[in-house]
């Protein structure tokens, strides 16, 4: 039932590589300034597609930042420890969300705050 930190680290590294590739492709395609240009989209569908792609890119960048932060925590030897209270994060939670930095209690408190 347990999942080793080494396995989680591999998952994070895989995810980082995938996200980096995804973001790189996006920039190669020159779609990275979508939504920021003054260019009028040909029609509403294009505008919708552009907005959707931009939000996908932003989401990938956000997740990548979290994945990188988690890998940095491995380096620092504090992976799996809650950033707020210093408690161990539930392994089941890490398995579901390998880049979690807060335990469930702190996460819930943070969301309410
Ligand atoms: Zn905590």
């Amino acid at each position: 039932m347990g999942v080793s930190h080494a396995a989680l680290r591999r998952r994070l590294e895989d995810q980082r590589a995938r996200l980096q590739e995804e973001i790189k492709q996006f920039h190669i395609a020159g779609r990275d300034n979508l939504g920021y240009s003054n260019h009028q989209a040909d029609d509403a569908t294009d505008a919708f597609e552009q907005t959707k792609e931009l939000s996908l890119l932003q989401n990938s960048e956000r997740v990548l930042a979290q994945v990188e932060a988690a890998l940095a925590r491995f380096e620092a030897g504090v992976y799996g420890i809650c950033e707020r209270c210093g408690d161990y994060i539930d392994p089941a939670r890490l398995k579901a969300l390998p880049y979690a930095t807060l335990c469930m209690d702190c996460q819930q408190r943070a969301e309410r705050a």
Side-chain angles (χ1 to χ4, degrees):
M1 181 62 215
V3 58
S4 73
H5 277 186
L8 289 172
R9 186 175 190 162
R10 268 198 307 279
R11 270 176 58 190
L12 285 164
E13 282 168 347
D14 285 353
Q15 197 177 4
R16 177 176 61 183
R18 224 173 26 243
L19 287 165
Q20 281 171 338
E21 183 58 25
E22 211 176 287
I23 291 165
K24 197 176 81 188
Q25 291 303 326
F26 205 98
H27 288 290
I28 288 171
R31 296 179 295 177
D32 52 316
N33 49 19
L34 287 179
Y36 297 122
S37 75
N38 292 320
H39 174 73
Q40 290 289 318
D42 291 340
D43 57 42
T45 309
D46 276 3
F48 175 73
E49 286 300 318
Q50 288 188 359
T51 306
K52 203 171 68 181
E53 288 206 5
L54 184 66
S55 75
L56 282 176
L57 175 68
Q58 284 169 339
N59 186 59
S60 296
E61 284 176 338
R62 198 163 47 231
V63 175
L64 179 60
Q66 287 177 296
V67 167
E68 283 180 334
L71 287 165
R73 291 168 67 72
F74 267 110
E75 294 300 325
V78 295
Y79 180 77
I81 297 171
C82 176
E83 268 185 341
R84 278 204 180 180
C85 68
D87 241 342
Y88 286 104
I89 301 172
D90 183 358
R93 172 164 165 75
L94 288 175
K95 199 176 168 185
L97 195 70
Y99 50 79
T101 57
L102 297 176
C103 69
M104 208 55 123
D105 284 351
C106 290
Q107 180 68 48
Q108 279 168 1
R109 241 168 267 147
E111 278 166 12
R112 273 200 301 271

